[in-house]
Amino acid sequence: MKTSTKLATLIGAVCLTSHGLSAADLNLLDQWPGWRGPLANGAAPTATPPTEFGEQKNLRWKVAIPGSGTATPIVWGDKIFVQTAIPTGKRANGTPVAALNITSPVMAQAGPPPSGPNGPGGPGGGRRAPGGPGGGGMRGEQPVEVIQFVVLCIDRNTGKTLWTKVVREQVPHEGHHQTHGYASGSPVTDGKMLYAYFGSRGLYAMDFDGNIKWEKDFGDQKTRNGFGEGTSPALAGDRLIINWDHEGEDDFIVALDKTSGKELWRKPRNEPTTWSTPFIVEHAGITQAIVNATGKTRSYDIKNGDLLWECGGQSANAIPSVVAIDGIAIAMSGFRTYAVNAIKLGSKGDVTGTDSVVWSYNKGTPYVPSPLLYGGKLYFFGGTEARLSIFDAKTGERHVDGERIEGLTGVYASPLGAAGYVYMAGRDGGVVVMKQASKVEIVSKTRLDEPIDAQPIAVGKELIIRGNKSLYSFAAN
């Protein structure tokens, strides 16, 4: 019998083998336990969400989410968990902040307005580039407002907030890019505990009633050009994996005991700011944590943190997370240059430019959104534009190469795969649904009343979308 690759979800539990899935695995497939879903690749294998929906169609509920943040929600059972950052309107000394904008934390800005990651002030390649932390389009920006860092628990059936937990309240040490906020990472759960990560504002292990069981503070990051933080934690069995790359000198990847928070191992890294989330996969009896980054994509043995393999060739500001299929890890990035590398999971050492790279490509790859791996195909956007490519994930065969998707303008959200369809959301509020196929076959288009940067998710018969201000739940009547 052919040995299969065991694809771990963010909690490292799903085993895709020729013998099928256990009852526990099947339950996991019905959840959305981390930001890339139950298979950590953007697909919801058991969900059947509607293909037609909108502000007035198949809308179960719509609720306002206080504060700002672009974090994708997660779902377990009847609970939805959302991270957000809420401005308080006060300075550290308690005095009011003048001209408060409730949707965007107030900062003292001495330099020019942000130009965006693709604009003149955007970050360049390499570590410690000119402009450095706080430079470029964000130079001189210094937060002055106290922010509440918050986890929300929302009833999946009604949209009612069940509890709100403020895990920290402080003035952030640095700002963020104008297109996201202080809560851009997603939590992760194993169905028993919730792990909420706010980067420089700490990691929190909580029960499903919002009680903090343990917490961890790793210090303060200095992000490239002051663009802010956005990586999420990953779960691998009994271990929680955190990657910490920034413009400081103490880059590392660390494994913590998920029950106690005890540090199990820590390995130094040397990368500029990384925004990708570690991807967990088991191959040939070894569970790997793979981190996509500007310098090199690296794989670590989660048992002891040993480096298994590494591969160069990504662009600056590598944001998309890795996906994997049949013994191949696929890493891509798309800032100023474009790159895809499909790397054998059984590789050893530095495999840059070797035959361990099964296939590669250097055109039209994503800057911000991660690829969707669904039905053996990769669906991904070019840069942050609504130009879709469809590739065979195993061979790299091109089916669609950068086709414009009408109805979308600007894409940060990663695509979703469910029930034989691909769901794509844009920064203008547009949502386009197409068939899962080797060509673009649109089945519906709609436009919501607010921008969408978080990945749409699907659980059961529901489609859940976090907009800039609201959380939506759609289901066919």
Side-chain angles (χ1 to χ4, degrees):
M1 181 181 71
K2 179 180 178 182
T3 301
S4 64
T5 296
K6 183 192 273 186
L7 261 184
T9 69
L10 293 178
I11 68 170
V14 175
C15 179
L16 302 179
T17 70
S18 58
H19 293 297
L21 299 167
S22 70
D25 293 336
L26 288 171
N27 178 55
L28 182 66
L29 294 181
D30 293 333
Q31 318 298 331
W32 193 277
W35 92 273
R36 295 305 326 272
L39 300 178
N41 59 13
T46 65
T48 56
T51 57
E52 295 186 355
F53 50 90
E55 296 283 351
Q56 304 297 327
K57 187 170 188 178
N58 286 331
L59 179 63
R60 298 176 69 231
W61 48 259
K62 174 183 177 181
V63 295
I65 298 295
S68 62
T70 56
T72 297
I74 68 168
V75 178
W76 194 277
D78 290 334
K79 292 182 171 65
I80 303 173
F81 301 100
V82 185
Q83 293 184 194
T84 189
I86 304 176
T88 65
K90 296 181 180 179
R91 299 173 185 266
N93 62 7
T95 61
V97 175
L100 175 65
N101 179 349
I102 195 65
T103 63
S104 179
V106 175
M107 304 171 188
Q109 183 169 305
S115 58
N118 288 314
R127 191 176 178 87
R128 325 291 186 249
M138 305 301 284
R139 185 178 288 111
E141 184 182 76
Q142 180 60 45
V144 299
E145 185 178 11
V146 175
I147 304 296
Q148 291 182 335
F149 297 89
V150 176
V151 180
L152 300 174
C153 179
I154 295 172
D155 188 293
R156 178 177 154 196
N157 298 307
T158 65
K160 177 183 177 182
T161 298
L162 300 176
W163 51 260
T164 299
K165 183 69 175 183
V166 179
V167 297
R168 188 174 295 191
E169 184 173 297
Q170 69 179 66
V171 177
H173 68 287
E174 71 171 18
H176 59 77
H177 191 266
Q178 61 181 341
T179 58
H180 76 114
Y182 290 116
S184 295
S186 295
V188 64
T189 183
D190 58 2
K192 298 177 181 178
M193 292 288 292
L194 178 73
Y195 303 91
Y197 180 55
F198 289 91
S200 296
R201 270 66 62 176
L203 168 68
Y204 302 87
M206 312 167 69
D207 64 24
F208 275 22
D209 293 320
N211 301 305
I212 297 176
K213 299 301 183 180
W214 58 261
E215 59 186 85
K216 193 87 170 181
D217 191 326
F218 298 102
D220 289 342
Q221 287 194 359
K222 300 177 182 178
T223 60
R224 171 64 58 86
N225 288 349
F227 278 176
E229 306 168 26
T231 188
S232 301
L235 270 167
D238 62 354
R239 301 181 178 214
L240 192 67
I241 309 297
I242 300 289
N243 191 64
W244 183 273
D245 293 340
H246 66 139
E247 305 307 295
E249 300 298 332
D250 58 342
D251 298 352
F252 58 85
I253 183 170
V254 63
L256 307 173
D257 181 277
K258 72 175 185 180
T259 302
S260 65
K262 178 183 177 182
E263 191 168 306
L264 301 176
W265 53 257
R266 179 185 294 220
K267 298 294 180 178
R269 288 168 54 83
N270 183 25
E271 287 283 353
T273 306
T274 295
W275 290 276
S276 69
T277 292
F279 173 78
I280 309 302
V281 63
E282 184 177 311
H283 178 74
I286 299 175
T287 302
Q288 306 181 28
I290 305 174
V291 181
N292 194 25
T294 295
K296 291 183 178 180
T297 303
R298 295 179 178 88
S299 175
Y300 300 86
D301 187 332
I302 69 154
K303 183 186 299 183
N304 50 28
D306 288 350
L307 181 65
L308 297 171
W309 55 262
E310 57 186 353
C311 183
Q314 294 300 311
S315 76
N317 300 351
I319 297 175
S321 293
V322 171
V323 294
I325 184 172
D326 288 356
I328 302 170
I330 302 168
M332 60 178 67
S333 54
F335 175 70
R336 293 183 176 168
T337 59
Y338 302 101
V340 181
N341 286 314
I343 307 154
K344 293 179 182 178
L345 284 171
S347 298
K348 299 293 182 183
D350 192 336
V351 299
T352 308
T354 72
D355 59 7
S356 287
V357 180
V358 179
W359 62 268
S360 60
Y361 193 63
N362 61 358
K363 178 183 175 184
T365 48
Y367 178 26
V368 175
S370 292
L372 166 66
L373 174 60
Y374 191 40
K377 298 180 179 64
L378 288 169
Y379 299 82
F380 58 89
F381 291 101
T384 57
E385 297 182 357
R387 296 188 176 275
L388 183 71
S389 294
I390 306 174
F391 278 43
D392 183 283
K394 295 181 185 179
T395 66
E397 177 186 357
R398 284 176 284 168
H399 300 299
V400 174
D401 195 356
E403 183 171 332
R404 179 76 175 90
I405 303 298
E406 299 296 332
L408 296 181
T409 302
V411 180
Y412 274 20
S414 304
L416 162 71
Y421 297 96
V422 175
Y423 295 72
M424 303 167 284
R427 307 205 69 227
D428 60 347
V431 185
V432 176
V433 183
M434 60 173 277
K435 291 182 180 179
Q436 175 198 345
S438 298
K439 60 181 180 179
V440 176
E441 296 183 66
I442 305 298
V443 298
S444 72
K445 298 179 184 179
T446 192
R447 188 171 303 280
L448 303 183
D449 290 343
E450 53 197 80
I452 303 166
D453 286 339
Q455 169 166 343
I457 68 176
V459 181
K461 296 182 178 180
E462 299 148 56
L463 175 68
I464 299 170
I465 297 178
R466 182 182 186 179
N468 182 256
K469 297 178 181 179
S470 309
L471 187 65
Y472 295 80
S473 175
F474 302 99
N477 294 325

